[in-house]
């Protein structure tokens, strides 16, 4: 599975919320099916996602690289996948 391709497809065809605040909201509301965290995310974010039973994928790259993988020209330290759309990204947590 090519994670970057799956991520980009999920962003285009599914429901994905980018950023710490939106990810936190999705976790608290029980909407997130997968949380992706950049390797260099702040400890506060890592602590938040570790306290949930939602599958977490640690992106092996920086938040700049995660933003580019999402097709965005800005930093993305974390994101929540609510609906994967046509993507197989939910399989990433099982890797």
């Amino acid at each position: 599975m090519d994670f970057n391709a799956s991520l980009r497809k999920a962003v285009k065809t599914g429901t994905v919320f980018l950023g710490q605040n939106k990810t936190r909201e999705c976790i608290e509301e029980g909407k997130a099916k997968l949380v992706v965290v950049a390797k260099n995310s702040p400890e506060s974010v890592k602590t938040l996602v570790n306290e949930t039973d939602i599958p977490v994928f640690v992106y092996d790259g920086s938040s700049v690289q995660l933003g580019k993988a999402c097709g965005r020209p800005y930093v993305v330290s974390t994101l929540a996948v609510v609906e994967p759309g046509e993507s197989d990204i939910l399989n990433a947590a099982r890797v």
Side-chain angles (χ1 to χ4, degrees), residues 17-91:
F17 291 96
L18 308 176
Q20 295 177 34
N21 294 335
K22 287 291 190 181
T23 299
R24 183 182 322 270
E25 286 175 21
C26 289
I27 290 170
E28 290 171 354
E29 294 172 3
K31 294 180 180 179
K33 293 182 180 170
L34 173 70
V35 174
V36 179
V37 180
K39 200 172 191 177
N40 68 335
S41 291
E43 285 303 314
S44 61
V45 174
K46 292 177 183 176
T47 302
L48 171 71
V49 297
N50 287 334
E51 293 174 351
T52 69
D53 58 350
I54 298 168
V56 176
F57 180 85
V58 178
Y59 185 75
D60 192 31
S62 70
S63 52
V64 172
Q65 293 167 321
L66 182 56
K68 286 182 182 178
C70 293
R72 300 297 192 262
Y74 48 82
V75 172
V76 175
S77 62
T78 185
L79 60 91
V81 178
V82 175
E83 290 297 327
E86 298 171 10
S87 173
D88 63 347
I89 196 163
L90 296 182
N91 295 329

